[in-house]
Amino acid sequence: MSGLSFLVLLVAGVGWVYLKLNGGIGTFSADGISGDRPPGSSGGQNVLVIGSDSRSGENSRLGGGTGAVGRSDTAFLLHVYGDRKHAVAVSIPRDSLVDIPACRLPGGAWTAPRHDVMFNAAFSVGETAEGNPACTQNTVEHLTGLRVDHTVVVDFAGFSALTSAVGGVPVCLPHDIHQRDLSPKMPTQGTRIFAKGPQNVSGQRALDYVRLRHGIGDGSDIGRIKRQQAFVASLIKKVKSRGMNPTTLLPLADAATDAMTVDPGLGSADRLLSFAMSMKNIDLHNTKFVTVPWRYEGARIAIVEPDADALWAALKADRTVDGQDASGRRSAGGDRAEDGATPTPTADPLPGKGIDVAVYNGTTVTGLAARAAELLRSRGFTVTTTATASRQDHASTVVAYGPGLRSEAEATARVLSGAGTTASDTPGIQIVLGSSYARNPAAANPSPHPSAVPSDVAGGARSADDNPCANLSYG
């Protein structure tokens, strides 16, 4: 749901919305932002986007979190590259175990640092209805070593209003979804809230869709993040397909700004529009949605090092996740990079160009995911995640693909020895490496064949014949 403010920042930079923005922008105090911060960058900019599930105000009728304390539901760090043509949104799972530095309480006192606690606990420091975005910002800066230039908070009401203003977003459900899938403590499955198959969702239904964690995919927060990322991409595509004109943009601006809370640096129409205008040339095709490298730590998520540090270092250097320089700086030869674009290849196109994959080690062989990721990158793939699978007893390698990605999955399987492909409920492409790949990592598989998908990737996905979403693309 935090994709709402990402969308607003991409489309609100049109002069027609200026008069509509002035009255609706809320700000939070900068008093709680730490004085011990990473240095700023002369290249790209970093925007922390937080989705709040508080029950306060209009959110109470939309099924926010229990109690009056503001809680963060989702969060990502949006890095806008120096060329203003590329961007990457790095999701940080709310269950991630992190260190929370000293944070300011409402009365002015500061807390002691906390170690190895859930990431979303930072937003609840002080237990106020509006949450503590400054504490979350301090935590992200401490975690990444990157200076956060701006912070944006969006609530349930804003997300619901935006999806209605755009006329709904297309999604596809692999099977029926019932009330207990949304509220797992219910004693019975309840009534059906989503029917199997493609459909358009807006308002409360859109909110229910992105909040789903159980009854679809693997039931994890990681699976939900991937579905939210795909939803945001579909939402942005829908907005842009309607045209950038006053008729379509004014309802979106109204819906978004009423539900946004921003840092003082974005707290006026002038500042918000100036920042939005700096991103108006970012195309969806040049925007990546990734998750910080992770692995399971019991019921929680551990951030994997040194992989995560390598990601933050790449962003600090203004390099894209596939290794390209997007800073817009002049090259050593004195020529300015053309919009951060990849140089025209002199050889045949790389088989993985334009394909994003996540790689999981399903064996006990140390470093196997990293080695496979290196191979995939050399073939043009963008590796968004390397992590350890929840089980390490996989015999063969499986490439699980979400809706509309069958051909991309087959291209991926051809690069990995002995790999098979299978349809999955989860958006994107997830690779689980098996022991067969560990024994023979060099040979490619010329004709991939279907294989059973591991439960830690797709949560018991149906075959392509049974899955109504297998051949559809949403976002």
Side-chain angles (χ1 to χ4, degrees), residues 253-283:
D254 277 343
T257 56
D258 284 346
M260 287 174 63
T261 303
V262 299
D263 68 89
L266 289 179
S268 71
D270 287 331
R271 292 168 180 169
L272 181 60
L273 287 173
S274 175
F275 181 72
M277 286 294 286
S278 74
M279 298 196 296
K280 65 184 176 64
N281 292 322
I282 298 175
D283 189 85

Side-chain angles (χ1 to χ4, degrees), residues 10 24 127 196 246 248 292-293 324-325 337 341 344 364 430 453:
L10 286 179
E127 299 189 336
K196 173 181 177 180
T248 58
V292 64
Q324 301 300 317
D325 185 351
T344 302
T364 57
Q430 291 84 40
V453 62

Side-chain angles (χ1 to χ4, degrees), residues 80-454:
V80 181
Y81 290 96
D83 65 359
R84 298 300 188 266
K85 300 286 186 181
H86 296 75
V88 60
V90 184
S91 293
I92 304 173
R94 64 180 186 177
D95 293 348
S96 300
L97 297 174
V98 300
D99 293 340
I100 297 179
C103 289
R104 189 176 187 272
L105 296 169
W110 287 73
T111 65
R114 301 167 63 191
H115 302 284
D116 211 29
V117 294
M118 285 175 55
F119 171 73
N120 70 341
F123 193 75
S124 300
V125 168
E127 299 189 336
T128 61
E130 63 272 17
N132 196 330
C135 185
T136 302
Q137 177 176 318
N138 294 343
T139 302
V140 170
E141 290 189 338
H142 181 77
L143 171 68
T144 66
L146 296 166
R147 190 180 186 93
V148 174
D149 298 290
H150 297 294
T151 294
V152 178
V153 183
V154 183
D155 62 22
F156 276 169
F159 181 86
S160 175
L162 181 69
T163 57
S164 295
V166 80
V169 178
V171 300
C172 189
L173 278 300
H175 49 263
D176 290 348
I177 299 296
H178 295 83
Q179 287 177 313
R180 187 164 59 187
D181 297 323
L182 189 62
S183 303
K185 293 183 179 180
M186 287 183 60
T188 64
Q189 72 173 5
T191 60
R192 187 178 70 178
I193 56 177
F194 291 105
K196 173 181 177 180
Q199 54 210 278
N200 203 60
V201 297
S202 63
Q204 177 72 61
R205 285 174 56 77
L207 185 60
D208 288 345
Y209 175 81
V210 297
R211 289 178 61 218
L212 272 175
R213 178 168 176 170
H214 303 278
I216 185 171
D218 64 359
S220 71
D221 193 42
I222 297 295
R224 183 173 66 164
I225 284 173
K226 293 180 182 298
R227 191 170 64 257
Q228 289 174 344
Q229 290 171 342
F231 186 91
V232 170
S234 291
L235 182 58
I236 295 171
K237 186 183 297 184
K238 180 70 177 288
V239 169
K240 291 195 170 185
S241 72
R242 289 160 55 91
M244 305 290 282
N245 58 70
T247 302
T248 58
L249 287 178
L250 288 177
L252 299 179
D254 277 343
T257 56
D258 284 346
M260 287 174 63
T261 303
V262 299
D263 68 89
L266 289 179
S268 71
D270 287 331
R271 292 168 180 169
L272 181 60
L273 287 173
S274 175
F275 181 72
M277 286 294 286
S278 74
M279 298 196 296
K280 65 184 176 64
N281 292 322
I282 298 175
D283 189 85
L284 181 60
H285 296 293
N286 291 330
T287 303
K288 300 293 184 184
F289 293 87
V290 303
T291 303
V292 64
W294 62 276
R295 62 177 171 80
Y296 286 111
E297 185 82 18
R300 305 301 180 208
I301 299 295
I303 293 176
V304 174
E305 301 294 359
D307 305 57
D309 278 346
L311 172 61
W312 310 134
L315 299 187
K316 189 176 296 185
D318 228 24
R319 298 189 70 82
T320 60
V321 291
D322 56 357
Q324 301 300 317
D325 185 351
S327 65
R329 294 185 292 265
R330 293 184 182 276
S331 65
D335 295 326
R336 188 176 181 84
E338 289 294 326
D339 296 332
T342 306
T344 302
T346 57
D348 292 336
L350 296 171
K353 186 175 181 181
I355 301 176
D356 294 354
V357 298
V359 183
Y360 302 94
N361 187 356
T363 77
T364 57
V365 179
T366 302
L368 190 63
R371 295 200 294 273
E374 184 177 358
L375 169 66
L376 290 162
R377 290 190 183 103
S378 73
R379 302 293 180 88
F381 293 84
T382 297
V383 179
T384 60
T385 299
T386 57
T388 302
S390 61
R391 297 189 351 252
Q392 285 76 57
D393 58 353
H394 296 283
S396 58
T397 297
V398 174
V399 180
Y401 60 92
L405 295 174
R406 180 174 180 176
S407 61
E408 289 87 345
E410 291 174 347
T412 305
R414 283 193 287 271
V415 175
L416 303 169
S417 67
T421 63
T422 188
S424 167
D425 296 349
T426 304
I429 295 177
Q430 291 84 40
I431 303 166
V432 175
L433 301 169
S435 56
S436 61
Y437 180 78
R439 292 191 298 269
N440 183 24
N445 179 16
S447 57
H449 55 279
S451 174
V453 62

Side-chain angles (χ1 to χ4, degrees), residues 23-35:
I25 306 173
T27 61
F28 65 86
S29 172
D31 291 345
I33 296 175
S34 173

